[in-house]
Amino acid sequence: MRRTFVTVLLVAVGFFALYALTAQRGLGWGDSGEFHYRILQCADGLLGRCDSFATAHPPYVALARLVCSTPYQVTLISSFFGALAVSGFLLCSRNVALTVVFGLSHALWWLSCVAEVYTMSLTCVAFETLFLMRFLDSRKVGWLAALALLNGLHLDLHNLALLAVPVYAVAVGVVLRPLGARRLVASLGLAAVAWAAGASFWLWALVTRGVRDVLVGSYGGQALGLLPDNWTVAGFNLALSGLSFVAPVAILWWTRRAASRPSSATPVASRVTDVCLVALLVVHALFFVRYFIISQFTFVLPTVFFAYLLVARVRLGRTRAVALMALQLLVPLFAWQVLSSLPVPAWRPRHKYRDEAKYFALPWKAGDDSADRLAAELDEPWNGYPGCGGKAGAK
């Protein structure tokens, strides 16, 4: 137990140092700039300058307002939760080598270097998965209550938390049904109370602000999975997201001639756990690929997490682990060269001072001061969306 704690702590501290050193120092673009504006300049409350509760992310804003006074400090929240999500992956997988590779994946590193809510959401996903695995392994209702409470808190932060609820419900029913109807009802009742306690702010908003405002806001069409006006938007996002799946694909290729060899590090070997992980991967992947918005690739983190977790039982070996780490570092550089040779798509806003290819392909952002340079030329407060007159842009 002590050794596990030390390993997890070292991984968390190491990746926080990496993300913090490579994080953007000043103002951010788009949603990142909007968070800087809302947290550091806007005094209209946790929901201020948002078109709906669905785009407000109040726990993230509340925490940032409590501890941050500069744009870099706001960005460090993403770095902190990115590192915490990596440690959560280690607790789920117990595979140190693959955990390091996961921490270097493009989307996770990228989103740990800008002011965004998604690494905080991924931390919830990681520890919800850990609690689910513990519950399936032990059938102890305490783990179920912890899972329900954390999912409720996650829902206060982001509606992505809803995607996993059906999977959790089916898993709980399958595991507890043989134990009798009385225990099933009691366990589900306790879980419901814990979930409602965690999601109390979200439930309050649902009653006071309405279902549409809380669930989809102004993104109803995209949430329903309607086709995009321009397929190049989806193509760009899917290609960018694909950079994060290099390692899982390589591992599957290495083991293509033989069944995966379960390692002694496998936390749970139950069939129900495997099915749950696959189901969670599928629901998050389906949501991601059909949610056509300009920042679509930022929703890929849970899919990446479950893809890595499903290959975590494979023994990498030192040589392959090092090769994967090197590959993770080389792939963004290759993508940068490719994007640099292509014209900026017509649908992608062109921003003064910002190198579009470098900004999206390379996860590290420490040297990017393009938003600060443009903000210095504007009369209105910077909110990440040039020309919006200081009003919060759509998320």
Side-chain angles (χ1 to χ4, degrees):
M1 181 65 71
R2 180 185 178 91
R3 183 178 179 181
T4 299
F5 174 79
V6 171
T7 302
V8 171
L9 182 62
L10 289 175
V11 167
V13 171
F15 273 99
F16 177 68
L18 173 66
Y19 296 154
L21 288 172
T22 56
Q24 194 169 38
R25 296 294 190 269
L27 296 172
W29 292 93
D31 291 353
S32 296
E34 181 182 340
F35 278 126
H36 287 146
Y37 175 75
R38 289 179 58 206
I39 292 164
L40 301 176
Q41 299 187 56
C42 177
D44 294 345
L46 297 181
L47 308 182
R49 302 302 176 98
C50 284
D51 64 348
S52 67
F53 185 91
T55 61
H57 314 300
Y60 173 84
V61 174
L63 176 62
R65 286 187 175 179
L66 182 66
V67 300
C68 300
S69 58
T70 67
Y72 181 48
Q73 291 173 357
V74 176
T75 302
L76 285 181
I77 292 181
S78 295
S79 302
F80 173 80
F81 282 103
L84 196 57
V86 175
S87 66
F89 179 87
L90 176 57
L91 289 170
C92 290
S93 68
R94 301 183 188 176
N95 187 324
V96 177
L98 193 63
T99 297
V100 175
V101 177
F102 170 70
L104 297 176
S105 59
H106 178 269
L108 178 53
W109 193 351
W110 200 99
L111 288 164
S112 296
C113 291
V114 297
E116 264 293 5
V117 72
Y118 299 109
T119 58
M120 192 175 185
S121 176
L122 182 64
T123 298
C124 293
V125 169
F127 284 91
E128 284 176 38
T129 303
L130 178 65
F131 295 160
L132 175 65
M133 296 171 77
R134 295 289 188 267
F135 167 71
L136 295 176
D137 194 34
S138 67
R139 299 187 179 184
K140 292 182 179 179
V141 72
W143 288 115
L144 176 60
L147 168 62
L149 177 65
L150 182 56
N151 181 260
L153 293 170
H154 185 189
L155 188 56
D156 291 333
L157 173 70
H158 204 292
N159 284 332
L160 279 174
L162 288 172
L163 296 178
V165 172
V167 179
Y168 297 158
V170 173
V172 170
V174 170
V175 170
L176 294 183
R177 184 178 178 183
L179 302 180
R182 180 176 296 180
R183 182 170 180 184
L184 175 61
V185 172
S187 299
L188 290 177
L190 177 62
V193 171
W195 183 87
S200 56
F201 193 39
W202 186 87
L203 292 171
W204 167 83
L206 194 69
V207 173
T208 59
R209 299 176 67 94
V211 173
R212 178 183 176 86
D213 179 271
V214 173
L215 291 182
V216 297
S218 61
Y219 286 86
Q222 290 91 335
L224 293 174
L226 301 180
L227 295 179
D229 295 331
N230 192 335
W231 277 96
T232 59
V233 178
F236 175 86
N237 283 295
L238 292 174
L240 195 62
S241 301
L243 301 181
S244 300
F245 294 95
V246 172
V249 170
I251 291 171
L252 292 174
W253 181 79
W254 279 331
T255 58
R256 67 193 184 284
R257 295 182 179 178
S260 298
R261 302 182 182 90
S263 77
S264 58
T266 302
V268 179
S270 73
R271 191 172 182 179
V272 175
T273 300
D274 291 338
V275 172
C276 286
L277 294 180
V278 172
L280 289 168
L281 170 65
V282 169
V283 296
H284 281 284
L286 288 177
F287 174 82
F288 159 66
V289 299
R290 47 150 294 286
Y291 191 46
F292 297 112
I293 59 173
I294 198 167
S295 58
Q296 178 185 3
F297 99 97
T298 57
F299 286 88
V300 77
L301 286 187
T303 307
V304 175
F305 175 87
F306 290 112
Y308 272 80
L309 195 55
L310 284 168
V311 300
R313 297 183 182 185
V314 176
R315 291 183 182 274
L316 290 179
R318 182 177 299 176
T319 301
R320 288 182 175 178
V322 172
L324 284 176
M325 294 175 199
L327 193 60
Q328 292 283 55
L329 297 175
L330 292 175
V331 164
L333 295 173
F334 173 76
W336 178 27
Q337 295 302 313
V338 172
L339 287 178
S340 297
S341 64
L342 299 175
V344 178
W347 53 268
R348 172 66 64 183
R350 292 164 174 79
H351 296 299
K352 189 177 180 180
Y353 302 124
R354 190 173 85 182
D355 182 336
E356 299 295 308
K358 184 177 181 180
Y359 182 78
F360 286 102
L362 302 185
W364 43 90
K365 299 284 182 288
D368 183 11
D369 63 349
S370 54
D372 298 271
R373 295 169 66 186
L374 182 57
E377 299 179 356
L378 303 179
D379 294 328
E380 67 270 10
W382 176 258
N383 75 330
Y385 297 90
C388 291
K391 296 180 180 180
K395 184 170 177 60

